[in-house]
Amino acid sequence: MLASYPPGHIRTPFFVRGKSGIVHDILGMYRNPENLAYGRVDADNKYLLRVLFKQKDLWQSYNGSGHDSIILDLYEHWLESSGIHI
Amino acid sequence: MVKKEPLHPHQRDLEDTPFTHYQIMTTAITELLFQKNIFSPDDLRAQLEAIDRKGPADGARLIARAWVDPDFKERMKTSVNSAATELGLDPGNIPILAVENTPELHNVIVCTLCSCYPRMLIGLPPDWYKSRSYRARVVREPRTVLKEFGTEISDKVEIRVHDSTADLRYMVIPMKPDCTESMDESALAKLVTRDTMIGVTLAKVPD
């Protein structure tokens, strides 16, 4: 995930910015909420993806099992490829 | 004469604070919509009443059907909205995704950004679901939060939190409790609570 902190109506929580996850599935195209929020009726379409992160990769002091995970719905322009395909 | 202090100090009502910008804007837009006859106060009240009437019963009915009909469960996992329509329920226009608990996986739902929730099928979200405490904690210490709800999940089971950050809503298909083979759909639906469909509790065990 991009470690980017632009102002505005952003749906990408801080706790995953700059972190690595796996694309779990692709939900399809939805209108970009970052533009829709400002009344832009011509807001662009973006792919929305479900991205899975391992909890231990997000929190240093994670107190649960190493298997535990979290999935977030994130827009394509927040992702950058790690070059690794699973 | 000594002035007697009141036993209970005066506590300000919430309404004693000035209106915020957005409260004023909301009221202004509502009044404009009334004046322009786009909708009436009766329409507004009817809509609020319809939202208030929603509860977890529709969601529980879907789960009970999924428990007894594996084909229905597969269709529900593809699209909750069309599965709900099959049963004559109104799931609304927002796509809802069902995530299924298994012996290896336990799902929990949150909206860390606000309060996204499948209202059409399980009613209004409880206050704790919208609280900053639940939203902040369930993503970083889900097992501790679940314990507070009385739900202990084995370390061998993966806990997966779903954060509905965007255009979908989520609901959990819990595991069907043991010793329920002889129960019909309407009895099974009573084992499914709102909290079960959020994933903070398991389905109830029959008496």
Side-chain angles (χ1 to χ4, degrees):
Chain A
M1 301 299 302
L2 295 180
S4 169
Y5 301 90
H9 178 82
I10 305 296
R11 299 281 188 94
T12 303
F14 273 51
F15 65 87
V16 294
R17 297 190 199 180
K19 306 287 184 180
S20 298
I22 298 165
V23 174
H24 188 268
D25 53 328
I26 299 170
L27 295 166
M29 293 193 105
Y30 288 86
R31 299 181 75 198
N32 184 356
E34 293 164 21
N35 290 330
L36 218 49
Y38 294 96
R40 295 186 192 157
V41 288
D42 59 344
D44 46 332
N45 280 303
K46 294 280 186 198
Y47 275 109
L48 182 60
L49 304 101
R50 303 184 74 218
V51 184
L52 183 145
F53 299 86
K54 288 286 180 192
Q55 291 280 25
K56 59 181 170 49
D57 293 338
L58 299 183
W59 319 105
Q60 280 182 352
S61 57
Y62 185 66
N63 66 0
S65 151
H67 308 297
D68 291 354
S69 60
I70 177 162
I71 292 186
L72 297 90
D73 301 345
L74 300 164
Y75 290 91
E76 56 174 315
H77 56 286
W78 277 90
L79 275 67
E80 59 183 350
S81 173
S82 64
I84 303 167
H85 296 273
I86 297 169
Chain B
M1 204 174 140
V2 182
K3 195 181 165 202
K4 224 177 162 186
E5 286 292 322
L7 284 174
H8 297 285
H10 175 67
Q11 188 177 13
R12 280 155 55 103
D13 284 332
L14 288 175
E15 290 84 353
D16 286 344
T17 52
F19 282 128
T20 64
H21 170 76
Y22 290 107
Q23 283 174 316
I24 294 168
M25 291 293 275
T26 306
T27 307
I29 289 169
T30 307
E31 285 177 1
L32 269 173
L33 292 167
F34 290 161
Q35 281 166 19
K36 290 175 180 283
N37 290 320
I38 293 168
F39 60 75
S40 69
D42 275 343
D43 295 332
L44 179 63
R45 190 171 52 251
Q47 186 63 35
L48 290 172
E49 285 170 356
I51 294 166
D52 283 345
R53 265 200 304 275
K54 290 276 178 199
D58 288 354
R61 222 181 115 196
L62 277 167
I63 305 286
R65 173 63 63 89
W67 278 345
V68 299
D69 181 346
D71 291 338
F72 181 84
K73 183 160 78 181
E74 286 312 307
R75 293 201 293 283
M76 185 173 164
K77 283 161 69 180
T78 309
S79 167
V80 172
N81 302 62
S82 51
T85 311
E86 256 185 68
L87 297 194
L89 306 173
D90 176 10
N93 296 326
I94 304 175
I96 303 165
L97 195 64
V99 286
E100 185 183 10
N101 288 348
T102 69
E104 292 83 36
L105 180 68
H106 180 85
N107 297 285
V108 188
I109 310 302
V110 65
C111 171
T112 55
L113 299 180
C114 48
S115 58
C116 296
Y117 191 79
R119 292 164 191 242
M120 293 297 282
L121 294 178
I122 69 177
L124 289 172
D127 286 344
W128 58 258
Y129 182 86
K130 299 182 278 185
S131 71
R132 182 168 289 188
S133 164
Y134 177 75
R135 292 185 290 128
R137 292 181 58 225
V138 80
V139 290
R140 67 174 303 158
E141 46 177 17
R143 288 176 185 271
T144 311
V145 172
L146 290 187
K147 265 186 206 147
E148 290 166 13
F149 281 93
T151 307
E152 289 227 33
I153 305 291
S154 158
D155 271 351
K156 296 192 185 90
V157 177
E158 172 184 344
I159 292 192
R160 183 174 288 173
V161 180
H162 299 264
D163 186 356
S164 34
T165 42
D167 289 84
L168 270 74
R169 302 294 174 263
Y170 287 88
M171 64 188 287
V172 174
I173 304 179
M175 281 197 287
K176 186 167 178 271
D178 292 336
C179 309
T180 50
E181 291 74 19
S182 61
M183 294 173 73
D184 66 14
E185 261 181 71
S186 64
L188 287 170
K190 292 195 176 72
L191 305 179
V192 182
T193 66
R194 173 196 71 193
D195 290 2
T196 307
M197 292 181 278
I198 302 173
V200 292
T201 57
L202 307 177
K204 288 196 278 189
V205 176
D207 302 325

